[in-house]
Coordinates of all heavy atoms in Angstrom, one line a residue:
M1 N 7.6 -9.5 12.5 CA 6.3 -9.9 12.1 C 5.5 -8.6 11.7 O 5.5 -7.6 12.4 CB 5.5 -10.6 13.1 CG 4.1 -11.0 12.7 SD 3.3 -11.9 14.1 CE 1.7 -11.6 13.7
I2 N 4.9 -8.6 10.5 CA 4.1 -7.5 10.0 C 2.7 -7.6 10.5 O 2.0 -8.7 10.2 CB 4.2 -7.4 8.5 CG1 5.6 -7.1 8.1 CG2 3.3 -6.3 7.9 CD1 5.9 -7.2 6.6
R3 N 2.2 -6.6 11.1 CA 0.8 -6.6 11.6 C 0.0 -5.7 10.7 O 0.2 -4.4 10.7 CB 0.7 -6.1 13.0 CG 1.3 -7.1 14.0 CD 1.1 -6.7 15.4 NE -0.3 -6.7 15.7 CZ -0.9 -6.2 16.8 NH1 -0.1 -5.7 17.7 NH2 -2.2 -6.3 17.0
P4 N -1.0 -6.2 9.9 CA -1.8 -5.4 9.0 C -2.6 -4.3 9.8 O -3.0 -4.6 10.9 CB -2.7 -6.3 8.3 CG -2.0 -7.7 8.5 CD -1.3 -7.6 9.8
R5 N -2.8 -3.2 9.2 CA -3.6 -2.1 9.8 C -5.1 -2.5 9.7 O -5.9 -2.2 10.6 CB -3.3 -0.8 9.1 CG -4.2 0.4 9.5 CD -3.9 0.9 10.9 NE -2.5 1.2 11.0 CZ -2.0 1.5 12.2 NH1 -2.7 1.6 13.3 NH2 -0.7 1.8 12.3
F6 N -5.5 -3.1 8.6 CA -6.9 -3.4 8.4 C -7.1 -5.0 8.5 O -6.2 -5.7 8.2 CB -7.4 -3.1 7.0 CG -7.6 -1.6 6.7 CD1 -7.9 -1.2 5.4 CD2 -7.5 -0.7 7.7 CE1 -8.1 0.2 5.2 CE2 -7.7 0.7 7.5 CZ -8.0 1.1 6.2
V7 N -8.3 -5.3 9.0 CA -8.7 -6.7 9.0 C -10.0 -6.8 8.3 O -11.0 -6.1 8.5 CB -8.9 -7.2 10.5 CG1 -9.5 -8.6 10.5 CG2 -7.6 -7.1 11.2
R8 N -10.1 -7.7 7.3 CA -11.3 -7.8 6.5 C -12.4 -8.6 7.3 O -12.2 -9.7 7.7 CB -11.0 -8.5 5.2 CG -12.2 -8.5 4.2 CD -11.8 -9.2 2.9 NE -10.6 -8.7 2.3 CZ -10.4 -7.7 1.5 NH1 -11.5 -6.9 1.2 NH2 -9.3 -7.3 1.0
L9 N -13.5 -8.0 7.4 CA -14.6 -8.6 8.1 C -15.8 -9.1 7.2 O -16.6 -9.8 7.7 CB -15.2 -7.6 9.2 CG -14.2 -7.2 10.2 CD1 -14.8 -6.1 11.1 CD2 -13.7 -8.3 11.0
A10 N -15.9 -8.5 6.0 CA -17.0 -8.9 5.1 C -16.5 -8.9 3.7 O -15.3 -8.6 3.4 CB -18.1 -7.8 5.3
E11 N -17.4 -9.3 2.8 CA -17.1 -9.3 1.3 C -15.8 -10.1 1.0 O -15.0 -9.7 0.3 CB -16.9 -7.9 0.8 CG -18.1 -7.0 0.9 CD -18.0 -5.7 0.1 OE1 -17.4 -5.7 -1.0 OE2 -18.4 -4.7 0.7
T12 N -15.7 -11.3 1.6 CA -14.6 -12.1 1.5 C -14.6 -13.0 0.2 O -13.7 -13.7 -0.1 CB -14.4 -13.0 2.7 OG1 -15.5 -13.8 2.9 CG2 -14.1 -12.2 3.9
G13 N -15.7 -13.0 -0.5 CA -15.9 -13.9 -1.6 C -15.4 -13.4 -3.0 O -15.6 -14.1 -4.0
R14 N -14.9 -12.2 -3.0 CA -14.4 -11.6 -4.3 C -13.1 -12.3 -4.7 O -12.4 -12.8 -3.9 CB -14.2 -10.1 -4.2 CG -15.5 -9.4 -4.1 CD -15.2 -7.9 -4.0 NE -15.0 -7.5 -2.6 CZ -14.0 -6.7 -2.2 NH1 -13.3 -6.1 -3.1 NH2 -13.9 -6.4 -1.0
P15 N -12.8 -12.4 -6.0 CA -11.6 -13.1 -6.5 C -10.4 -12.4 -6.0 O -10.3 -11.2 -5.8 CB -11.7 -12.9 -8.0 CG -13.1 -12.7 -8.3 CD -13.7 -11.9 -7.1
A16 N -9.3 -13.2 -5.8 CA -8.0 -12.6 -5.3 C -7.3 -11.9 -6.4 O -7.4 -12.2 -7.6 CB -7.2 -13.8 -4.8
V17 N -6.5 -10.9 -6.0 CA -5.6 -10.1 -6.9 C -4.3 -10.2 -6.2 O -4.1 -9.8 -5.0 CB -6.1 -8.6 -7.0 CG1 -5.1 -7.8 -7.8 CG2 -7.5 -8.5 -7.6
R18 N -3.3 -10.7 -6.9 CA -1.9 -10.8 -6.4 C -1.1 -9.6 -6.8 O -1.2 -9.2 -8.0 CB -1.3 -12.1 -6.8 CG -1.9 -13.3 -6.1 CD -1.5 -14.6 -6.8 NE -2.0 -14.8 -8.1 CZ -3.3 -15.2 -8.4 NH1 -4.1 -15.5 -7.4 NH2 -3.7 -15.3 -9.6
F19 N -0.3 -9.1 -5.9 CA 0.6 -8.0 -6.2 C 1.8 -8.1 -5.3 O 1.9 -8.9 -4.4 CB -0.2 -6.6 -6.1 CG -0.6 -6.2 -4.7 CD1 0.1 -5.3 -4.0 CD2 -1.7 -6.8 -4.0 CE1 -0.2 -4.9 -2.7 CE2 -2.0 -6.5 -2.7 CZ -1.3 -5.5 -2.1
R20 N 2.7 -7.2 -5.5 CA 4.0 -7.2 -4.7 C 4.0 -5.9 -3.9 O 3.7 -4.8 -4.4 CB 5.2 -7.4 -5.6 CG 6.4 -7.7 -4.8 CD 7.6 -8.3 -5.6 NE 8.0 -7.4 -6.7 CZ 7.9 -7.7 -8.0 NH1 7.6 -8.9 -8.4 NH2 8.3 -6.8 -8.9
L21 N 4.4 -6.0 -2.6 CA 4.5 -4.9 -1.7 C 5.8 -4.9 -1.0 O 6.1 -5.9 -0.3 CB 3.3 -4.9 -0.7 CG 3.3 -3.8 0.3 CD1 3.1 -2.4 -0.4 CD2 2.2 -4.0 1.3
D22 N 6.7 -3.9 -1.3 CA 8.0 -3.9 -0.7 C 8.7 -5.2 -0.9 O 9.4 -5.7 0.0 CB 7.9 -3.5 0.8 CG 7.5 -2.1 1.0 OD1 7.6 -1.3 0.1 OD2 6.9 -1.8 2.1
G23 N 8.6 -5.8 -2.1 CA 9.3 -7.1 -2.4 C 8.6 -8.3 -1.9 O 9.1 -9.4 -2.2
R24 N 7.5 -8.2 -1.2 CA 6.8 -9.4 -0.7 C 5.6 -9.7 -1.7 O 4.9 -8.8 -2.1 CB 6.2 -9.2 0.7 CG 7.2 -9.0 1.7 CD 6.5 -8.8 3.1 NE 5.7 -7.6 3.2 CZ 4.4 -7.6 3.6 NH1 3.8 -8.7 3.9 NH2 3.7 -6.5 3.6
D25 N 5.4 -11.0 -1.9 CA 4.2 -11.4 -2.7 C 3.0 -11.4 -1.7 O 3.0 -12.1 -0.7 CB 4.4 -12.7 -3.3 CG 5.4 -12.7 -4.4 OD1 5.5 -11.7 -5.2 OD2 6.2 -13.7 -4.6
V26 N 2.0 -10.6 -2.0 CA 0.8 -10.5 -1.2 C -0.5 -10.5 -2.0 O -0.4 -10.6 -3.3 CB 0.9 -9.2 -0.3 CG1 2.0 -9.2 0.6 CG2 0.9 -8.0 -1.2
A27 N -1.6 -10.5 -1.4 CA -2.9 -10.5 -2.1 C -3.9 -9.6 -1.5 O -3.9 -9.2 -0.4 CB -3.4 -12.0 -2.2
A28 N -4.8 -9.2 -2.4 CA -6.0 -8.4 -2.0 C -7.2 -9.0 -2.7 O -7.1 -10.1 -3.2 CB -5.8 -6.9 -2.3
L29 N -8.3 -8.3 -2.7 CA -9.5 -8.8 -3.4 C -9.8 -7.8 -4.5 O -9.7 -6.6 -4.4 CB -10.6 -9.0 -2.5 CG -10.4 -10.0 -1.3 CD1 -11.7 -10.2 -0.5 CD2 -10.0 -11.4 -1.9
E30 N -10.3 -8.4 -5.6 CA -10.8 -7.6 -6.7 C -11.7 -6.5 -6.3 O -12.7 -6.8 -5.5 CB -11.5 -8.5 -7.8 CG -11.8 -7.9 -9.1 CD -12.3 -8.9 -10.0 OE1 -11.6 -9.7 -10.6 OE2 -13.6 -8.9 -10.2
G31 N -11.5 -5.3 -6.7 CA -12.3 -4.2 -6.3 C -11.8 -3.4 -5.1 O -12.2 -2.3 -4.8
D32 N -10.8 -3.9 -4.4 CA -10.1 -3.1 -3.4 C -9.4 -1.9 -4.0 O -8.8 -2.0 -5.1 CB -9.1 -4.0 -2.6 CG -9.7 -5.0 -1.7 OD1 -10.9 -4.9 -1.4 OD2 -8.9 -5.9 -1.2
T33 N -9.3 -0.8 -3.2 CA -8.4 0.2 -3.6 C -7.0 -0.2 -3.2 O -6.8 -1.1 -2.4 CB -8.7 1.5 -2.9 OG1 -8.6 1.3 -1.5 CG2 -10.1 2.0 -3.2
V34 N -6.0 0.5 -3.8 CA -4.6 0.2 -3.4 C -4.5 0.5 -1.9 O -3.8 -0.3 -1.2 CB -3.7 1.1 -4.3 CG1 -2.3 1.1 -3.7 CG2 -3.6 0.6 -5.7
L35 N -5.1 1.5 -1.4 CA -5.0 1.8 0.0 C -5.5 0.7 0.9 O -4.8 0.2 1.8 CB -5.8 3.1 0.4 CG -5.7 3.6 1.8 CD1 -5.6 5.1 1.8 CD2 -6.8 3.1 2.7
T36 N -6.6 0.1 0.5 CA -7.2 -1.0 1.3 C -6.2 -2.2 1.1 O -5.9 -2.9 2.1 CB -8.6 -1.4 0.8 OG1 -9.4 -0.3 1.1 CG2 -9.1 -2.6 1.5
A37 N -5.8 -2.5 -0.1 CA -4.9 -3.6 -0.4 C -3.6 -3.5 0.4 O -3.2 -4.5 1.0 CB -4.6 -3.7 -1.9
V38 N -3.0 -2.4 0.5 CA -1.8 -2.2 1.2 C -2.0 -2.4 2.7 O -1.3 -3.1 3.4 CB -1.1 -0.9 0.9 CG1 0.1 -0.6 1.9 CG2 -0.6 -0.8 -0.5
L39 N -3.1 -1.7 3.2 CA -3.3 -1.8 4.7 C -3.8 -3.1 5.1 O -3.8 -3.4 6.3 CB -4.2 -0.7 5.1 CG -3.6 0.7 4.9 CD1 -4.6 1.8 5.3 CD2 -2.3 0.9 5.8
M40 N -4.2 -4.0 4.2 CA -4.6 -5.4 4.5 C -3.3 -6.2 4.7 O -3.3 -7.3 5.2 CB -5.4 -6.0 3.5 CG -6.8 -5.5 3.4 SD -7.9 -5.8 4.8 CE -7.8 -7.6 4.8
N41 N -2.2 -5.6 4.2 CA -0.9 -6.4 4.2 C 0.3 -5.7 4.9 O 1.4 -6.1 4.9 CB -0.5 -6.6 2.7 CG -1.4 -7.7 2.1 OD1 -1.3 -8.8 2.3 ND2 -2.3 -7.2 1.3
A42 N 0.0 -4.5 5.5 CA 1.1 -3.7 6.1 C 0.5 -2.9 7.2 O -0.7 -2.6 7.2 CB 1.8 -2.9 5.1
G43 N 1.3 -2.4 8.1 CA 0.8 -1.6 9.2 C 0.6 -0.1 8.9 O -0.1 0.6 9.5
S44 N 1.2 0.3 7.8 CA 1.0 1.7 7.3 C 1.1 1.7 5.8 O 1.6 0.7 5.2 CB 2.0 2.6 7.9 OG 3.3 2.3 7.5
L45 N 0.6 2.8 5.2 CA 0.5 2.9 3.7 C 1.9 3.3 3.2 O 2.3 2.9 2.2 CB -0.5 3.9 3.4 CG -0.7 4.2 1.9 CD1 -1.2 2.9 1.2 CD2 -1.7 5.3 1.7
R46 N 2.5 4.3 3.9 CA 3.7 4.8 3.4 C 4.4 5.6 4.5 O 3.8 5.8 5.6 CB 3.5 5.8 2.3 CG 2.8 7.1 2.7 CD 2.5 8.0 1.5 NE 1.9 9.2 2.0 CZ 2.7 10.3 2.2 NH1 4.0 10.3 1.9 NH2 2.1 11.4 2.6
R47 N 5.7 5.8 4.3 CA 6.4 6.7 5.3 C 6.5 8.1 4.7 O 6.8 8.3 3.5 CB 7.9 6.1 5.4 CG 8.6 6.8 6.5 CD 10.0 6.1 6.8 NE 10.7 5.7 5.6 CZ 11.3 6.6 4.8 NH1 11.3 7.8 5.0 NH2 11.9 6.1 3.7
S48 N 6.1 9.0 5.5 CA 6.1 10.4 5.1 C 7.5 10.9 4.7 O 8.5 10.7 5.5 CB 5.5 11.3 6.2 OG 5.7 12.7 5.8
E49 N 7.6 11.5 3.6 CA 8.9 12.1 3.2 C 9.2 13.4 3.9 O 10.2 14.0 3.8 CB 9.0 12.3 1.7 CG 7.9 13.2 1.1 CD 6.7 12.4 0.6 OE1 6.0 11.8 1.5 OE2 6.4 12.4 -0.6
F50 N 8.2 13.9 4.8 CA 8.4 15.1 5.5 C 8.8 14.9 7.0 O 8.7 15.8 7.8 CB 7.2 16.0 5.4 CG 6.8 16.3 4.0 CD1 5.7 15.7 3.4 CD2 7.6 17.1 3.2 CE1 5.4 16.0 2.1 CE2 7.3 17.4 1.9 CZ 6.2 16.8 1.3
G51 N 9.0 13.6 7.3 CA 9.6 13.3 8.6 C 8.5 13.1 9.7 O 8.9 13.1 10.9
D52 N 7.2 13.0 9.4 CA 6.3 12.9 10.5 C 5.8 11.5 10.6 O 4.7 11.2 11.1 CB 5.1 13.9 10.3 CG 4.5 13.9 9.0 OD1 5.0 13.1 8.1 OD2 3.4 14.5 8.8
G53 N 6.6 10.5 10.2 CA 6.3 9.1 10.5 C 5.4 8.4 9.5 O 5.1 8.9 8.4
P54 N 5.0 7.2 9.9 CA 4.2 6.4 9.0 C 2.8 7.0 8.8 O 2.2 7.6 9.7 CB 4.1 5.0 9.7 CG 4.4 5.3 11.1 CD 5.3 6.5 11.1
R55 N 2.2 6.8 7.6 CA 0.9 7.4 7.2 C 0.0 6.3 6.7 O 0.5 5.3 6.2 CB 1.1 8.5 6.1 CG 2.1 9.6 6.4 CD 1.7 10.4 7.6 NE 0.4 11.1 7.3 CZ -0.3 11.7 8.2 NH1 0.1 11.8 9.4 NH2 -1.4 12.3 7.9
A56 N -1.3 6.5 6.8 CA -2.3 5.5 6.4 C -3.4 6.2 5.6 O -4.5 5.7 5.5 CB -2.8 4.7 7.5
G57 N -3.1 7.3 4.9 CA -4.1 8.1 4.3 C -4.9 8.9 5.3 O -4.7 8.7 6.5
F58 N -5.7 9.8 4.8 CA -6.5 10.6 5.8 C -8.0 10.8 5.3 O -8.9 10.3 6.0 CB -5.8 12.0 5.9 CG -6.5 12.9 6.9 CD1 -6.4 12.7 8.2 CD2 -7.3 14.0 6.4 CE1 -7.1 13.5 9.1 CE2 -7.9 14.8 7.3 CZ -7.8 14.6 8.7
C59 N -8.2 11.4 4.2 CA -9.6 11.6 3.8 C -10.3 10.4 3.1 O -11.5 10.3 3.2 CB -9.6 12.8 2.8 SG -9.0 12.4 1.2
L60 N -9.5 9.6 2.5 CA -10.0 8.4 1.7 C -10.9 8.7 0.6 O -11.7 7.9 0.1 CB -10.7 7.4 2.7 CG -9.9 7.0 3.9 CD1 -10.6 6.0 4.7 CD2 -8.5 6.6 3.6
M61 N -10.9 10.0 0.1 CA -11.7 10.4 -1.0 C -11.0 11.3 -2.0 O -11.6 12.2 -2.6 CB -13.0 11.1 -0.5 CG -12.7 12.3 0.3 SD -14.3 12.9 0.9 CE -13.9 14.6 1.3
A62 N -9.7 11.1 -2.1 CA -8.9 11.8 -3.2 C -8.8 13.3 -3.0 O -8.7 14.0 -4.0 CB -9.4 11.4 -4.6
A63 N -8.9 13.8 -1.8 CA -8.8 15.2 -1.6 C -7.5 15.7 -0.8 O -7.0 16.7 -1.2 CB -10.0 15.7 -0.8
C64 N -7.0 14.9 0.1 CA -5.9 15.4 1.0 C -4.5 15.2 0.4 O -3.6 15.8 0.9 CB -6.1 14.8 2.4 SG -5.6 13.1 2.5
Q65 N -4.4 14.2 -0.5 CA -3.1 13.9 -1.1 C -2.1 13.2 -0.1 O -0.9 13.2 -0.3 CB -2.4 15.1 -1.7 CG -3.3 16.0 -2.6 CD -4.0 15.2 -3.7 OE1 -3.3 14.4 -4.4 NE2 -5.3 15.4 -3.9
D66 N -2.6 12.6 0.9 CA -1.8 12.0 2.0 C -1.5 10.5 1.7 O -0.9 9.8 2.5 CB -2.5 12.1 3.3 CG -1.5 11.7 4.5 OD1 -0.3 12.0 4.4 OD2 -2.0 11.1 5.5
C67 N -1.9 10.0 0.5 CA -1.8 8.6 0.2 C -1.0 8.2 -1.0 O -1.1 7.1 -1.5 CB -3.2 7.9 0.1 SG -4.1 8.5 -1.3
W68 N -0.2 9.2 -1.5 CA 0.6 8.8 -2.7 C 1.7 7.8 -2.3 O 2.5 8.1 -1.4 CB 1.3 10.1 -3.2 CG 0.3 11.0 -3.9 CD1 -0.5 12.0 -3.4 CD2 0.0 11.0 -5.3 NE1 -1.3 12.5 -4.4 CE2 -1.0 11.9 -5.5 CE3 0.4 10.2 -6.4 CZ2 -1.6 12.2 -6.8 CZ3 -0.2 10.4 -7.7 CH2 -1.1 11.4 -7.8
I69 N 1.8 6.7 -3.1 CA 2.8 5.7 -2.8 C 3.6 5.5 -4.1 O 3.2 6.1 -5.2 CB 2.3 4.4 -2.2 CG1 1.4 3.7 -3.2 CG2 1.6 4.7 -0.9 CD1 1.1 2.3 -2.8
W70 N 4.6 4.7 -4.1 CA 5.5 4.5 -5.2 C 5.3 3.2 -5.8 O 4.9 2.2 -5.2 CB 7.0 4.6 -4.7 CG 7.3 6.0 -4.1 CD1 7.9 7.0 -4.7 CD2 7.0 6.4 -2.7 NE1 8.0 8.1 -3.9 CE2 7.5 7.7 -2.6 CE3 6.5 5.8 -1.6 CZ2 7.4 8.5 -1.5 CZ3 6.3 6.5 -0.5 CH2 6.8 7.9 -0.4
T71 N 5.7 3.1 -7.1 CA 5.8 1.8 -7.8 C 7.2 1.4 -8.0 O 8.1 2.3 -8.0 CB 5.0 1.8 -9.2 OG1 5.8 2.7 -10.0 CG2 3.6 2.3 -9.0
E72 N 7.5 0.1 -8.2 CA 8.8 -0.3 -8.4 C 9.4 0.2 -9.8 O 10.6 0.4 -10.0 CB 8.9 -1.9 -8.5 CG 8.8 -2.5 -7.1 CD 9.0 -4.0 -7.2 OE1 9.4 -4.5 -8.2 OE2 8.7 -4.7 -6.2
E73 N 8.4 0.6 -10.7 CA 8.8 1.1 -12.0 C 9.2 2.6 -11.9 O 9.6 3.2 -12.9 CB 7.7 1.0 -13.0 CG 7.4 -0.5 -13.3 CD 6.5 -1.2 -12.2 OE1 5.8 -0.5 -11.5 OE2 6.6 -2.4 -12.1
G74 N 9.1 3.2 -10.7 CA 9.5 4.6 -10.5 C 8.3 5.6 -10.6 O 8.5 6.8 -10.4
G75 N 7.1 5.1 -10.7 CA 5.9 6.0 -10.7 C 5.4 6.2 -9.4 O 5.9 5.6 -8.4
R76 N 4.3 7.0 -9.3 CA 3.6 7.2 -8.0 C 2.1 7.1 -8.4 O 1.7 7.4 -9.5 CB 3.9 8.6 -7.4 CG 5.4 8.7 -7.0 CD 5.6 9.9 -6.1 NE 5.1 9.6 -4.8 CZ 5.1 10.6 -3.8 NH1 5.5 11.8 -4.1 NH2 4.6 10.2 -2.6
L77 N 1.3 6.7 -7.4 CA -0.1 6.7 -7.6 C -0.8 7.1 -6.3 O -0.2 6.9 -5.2 CB -0.6 5.4 -8.1 CG -0.2 4.1 -7.3 CD1 -1.2 3.8 -6.2 CD2 -0.2 2.9 -8.3
R78 N -2.0 7.6 -6.4 CA -2.8 8.0 -5.2 C -3.6 6.7 -4.8 O -4.5 6.2 -5.6 CB -3.7 9.1 -5.6 CG -4.4 9.7 -4.4 CD -5.1 11.0 -4.6 NE -5.9 11.0 -5.8 CZ -6.2 12.0 -6.5 NH1 -5.9 13.2 -6.2 NH2 -7.0 11.9 -7.6
A79 N -3.3 6.2 -3.7 CA -3.8 4.9 -3.3 C -5.3 4.8 -3.0 O -5.9 3.8 -3.2 CB -3.0 4.4 -2.0
C80 N -5.9 5.9 -2.6 CA -7.3 5.8 -2.2 C -8.3 5.8 -3.3 O -9.4 5.5 -3.2 CB -7.6 6.9 -1.2 SG -7.8 8.6 -1.9
D81 N -7.8 6.2 -4.5 CA -8.7 6.2 -5.7 C -8.2 5.4 -6.9 O -8.6 5.6 -8.0 CB -9.2 7.6 -6.1 CG -8.1 8.4 -6.7 OD1 -6.9 8.1 -6.6 OD2 -8.4 9.5 -7.3
T82 N -7.3 4.5 -6.6 CA -6.7 3.6 -7.6 C -7.1 2.2 -7.2 O -6.8 1.8 -6.1 CB -5.2 3.8 -7.7 OG1 -4.9 5.1 -8.0 CG2 -4.6 2.9 -8.8
A83 N -7.6 1.5 -8.1 CA -8.0 0.1 -7.9 C -6.7 -0.8 -7.9 O -5.9 -0.6 -8.8 CB -9.0 -0.4 -8.8
V84 N -6.6 -1.7 -7.0 CA -5.4 -2.6 -7.1 C -5.6 -3.5 -8.3 O -6.7 -3.9 -8.7 CB -5.3 -3.5 -5.8 CG1 -6.4 -4.5 -5.6 CG2 -3.9 -4.1 -5.7
A85 N -4.5 -3.9 -8.9 CA -4.5 -4.7 -10.1 C -3.5 -5.8 -10.0 O -2.4 -5.7 -9.4 CB -4.3 -3.9 -11.4
E86 N -3.8 -6.9 -10.6 CA -2.9 -8.1 -10.7 C -1.5 -7.7 -11.2 O -1.4 -7.0 -12.2 CB -3.5 -9.2 -11.6 CG -2.7 -10.5 -11.6 CD -3.1 -11.3 -10.4 OE1 -4.1 -11.2 -9.8 OE2 -2.2 -12.2 -10.1
G87 N -0.5 -8.0 -10.4 CA 0.9 -7.8 -10.8 C 1.5 -6.4 -10.5 O 2.6 -6.2 -10.8
M88 N 0.7 -5.6 -9.8 CA 1.2 -4.3 -9.4 C 2.5 -4.6 -8.5 O 2.5 -5.6 -7.8 CB 0.2 -3.5 -8.6 CG -0.8 -2.7 -9.4 SD -1.9 -1.8 -8.3 CE -2.4 -0.5 -9.4
A89 N 3.4 -3.7 -8.5 CA 4.6 -3.8 -7.7 C 4.7 -2.4 -6.9 O 5.1 -1.4 -7.6 CB 5.8 -4.1 -8.5
L90 N 4.4 -2.4 -5.7 CA 4.2 -1.2 -4.9 C 5.3 -1.0 -3.8 O 5.8 -2.1 -3.3 CB 2.8 -1.1 -4.3 CG 1.7 -1.3 -5.3 CD1 0.4 -1.4 -4.5 CD2 1.6 -0.1 -6.2
L91 N 5.6 0.2 -3.5 CA 6.6 0.5 -2.5 C 6.0 1.5 -1.5 O 5.3 2.4 -1.8 CB 7.9 1.1 -3.1 CG 8.6 0.2 -4.1 CD1 9.7 1.1 -4.8 CD2 9.1 -1.0 -3.5
T92 N 6.3 1.3 -0.2 CA 5.8 2.2 0.8 C 6.8 3.3 1.2 O 6.6 4.1 2.1 CB 5.4 1.4 2.1 OG1 6.6 0.7 2.6 CG2 4.3 0.4 1.9
A93 N 7.9 3.3 0.5 CA 9.0 4.3 0.6 C 9.5 4.6 -0.7 O 9.4 3.7 -1.6 CB 10.0 3.8 1.6
P94 N 10.1 5.7 -0.9 CA 10.8 6.0 -2.2 C 11.7 4.9 -2.6 O 12.4 4.3 -1.7 CB 11.5 7.3 -2.0 CG 10.8 8.0 -0.8 CD 10.3 6.8 0.0
P95 N 11.8 4.5 -3.9 CA 12.6 3.4 -4.3 C 14.1 3.5 -3.8 O 14.6 2.5 -3.4 CB 12.6 3.5 -5.8 CG 11.3 4.2 -6.1 CD 11.1 5.2 -5.0
Q96 N 14.7 4.6 -3.8 CA 16.1 4.7 -3.3 C 16.2 4.5 -1.8 O 17.3 4.2 -1.4 CB 16.7 6.1 -3.7 CG 16.1 7.3 -3.0 CD 14.8 7.8 -3.7 OE1 14.2 7.2 -4.5 NE2 14.5 9.1 -3.3
E97 N 15.1 4.5 -1.1 CA 15.2 4.3 0.4 C 14.6 2.9 0.8 O 14.6 2.6 2.0 CB 14.4 5.4 1.1 CG 15.0 6.8 0.9 CD 14.2 7.8 1.5 OE1 13.4 7.5 2.4 OE2 14.3 9.0 1.1
T98 N 14.2 2.2 -0.2 CA 13.5 0.9 0.1 C 14.6 -0.2 0.6 O 15.6 -0.3 -0.1 CB 12.7 0.4 -1.1 OG1 11.7 1.3 -1.4 CG2 12.1 -1.0 -0.8
T99 N 14.3 -0.8 1.6 CA 15.1 -2.0 2.0 C 14.2 -3.2 1.8 O 13.1 -3.3 2.3 CB 15.5 -1.9 3.5 OG1 14.4 -1.8 4.3 CG2 16.4 -0.7 3.7
W100 N 14.8 -4.2 1.1 CA 14.0 -5.4 0.8 C 14.1 -6.4 2.0 O 15.1 -6.4 2.7 CB 14.6 -6.0 -0.5 CG 14.5 -5.1 -1.6 CD1 15.5 -4.3 -2.1 CD2 13.3 -4.8 -2.4 NE1 15.0 -3.6 -3.2 CE2 13.7 -3.9 -3.3 CE3 12.0 -5.2 -2.3 CZ2 12.8 -3.3 -4.2 CZ3 11.1 -4.7 -3.2 CH2 11.5 -3.8 -4.2
P101 N 13.0 -7.2 2.1 CA 13.0 -8.1 3.2 C 14.1 -9.2 3.0 O 14.4 -9.5 1.9 CB 11.6 -8.7 3.2 CG 11.1 -8.4 1.8 CD 11.8 -7.2 1.3
T102 N 14.7 -9.7 4.1 CA 15.6 -10.8 4.0 C 15.0 -12.0 4.6 O 13.9 -11.9 5.2 CB 16.9 -10.4 4.8 OG1 16.5 -10.3 6.2 CG2 17.5 -9.1 4.3
S103 N 15.7 -13.1 4.5 CA 15.1 -14.3 5.1 C 15.0 -14.2 6.6 O 14.2 -15.0 7.2 CB 16.0 -15.5 4.7 OG 17.3 -15.3 5.2
A104 N 15.7 -13.3 7.2 CA 15.6 -13.1 8.7 C 14.5 -12.2 9.1 O 14.1 -12.2 10.2 CB 17.0 -12.6 9.2
S105 N 13.9 -11.5 8.1 CA 12.8 -10.5 8.5 C 11.5 -11.1 8.3 O 11.2 -12.1 7.8 CB 13.0 -9.2 7.8 OG 12.9 -9.4 6.4
Ligands
FES1 S1 -6.4 9.6 1.5 FE1 -6.7 11.7 1.0 S2 -6.2 11.8 -1.1 FE2 -6.0 9.7 -0.6

């Protein structure tokens, strides 16, 4: 079971934005950053490629570079200053290391 890092307490009336995260169909709200959208649907933003475990961003203002995540198309984006958009397909690990959910997970 996936336990989200964030729980939305306010501003629940904005329109939904659907996107894919590690192969799962999930949703956020219009105006959410990618960082917020991912952490509303996962326990961490990404796995560090430097071996220090799961990360959830740090500064939240585009300064520390701790929130770069991957797209299914092979790109990367900085999650704290990118707005989530309908149809995005995001990965919390590099594409070659991603394991897709199975019916048992
Ligand atoms: S959290 Fe620091 S640059 Fe995004």
Side-chain angles (χ1 to χ4, degrees):
M1 177 178 156
I2 296 172
R3 294 186 61 191
R5 173 72 53 192
F6 285 176
V7 175
R8 190 179 306 277
L9 299 177
E11 297 187 44
T12 56
R14 288 180 277 138
V17 174
R18 287 167 293 279
F19 67 105
R20 195 164 55 240
L21 180 62
D22 292 335
R24 295 182 297 129
D25 292 324
V26 295
L29 297 183
E30 191 175 280
D32 285 347
T33 63
V34 167
L35 186 143
T36 298
V38 170
L39 292 178
M40 291 294 301
N41 290 283
S44 64
L45 180 66
R46 67 184 188 96
R47 187 171 42 75
S48 172
E49 58 270 64
F50 303 109
D52 54 353
R55 307 294 301 168
F58 182 71
C59 73
L60 311 183
M61 59 182 199
C64 74
Q65 314 303 316
D66 194 34
C67 66
W68 286 89
I69 65 170
W70 299 264
T71 67
E72 287 184 12
E73 296 78 25
R76 295 192 76 185
L77 57 84
R78 190 167 48 202
C80 74
D81 70 344
T82 303
V84 69
E86 186 80 23
M88 278 183 160
L90 305 171
L91 302 171
T92 61
Q96 67 274 16
E97 298 176 21
T98 299
T99 57
W100 299 100
T102 64
S103 58
S105 59

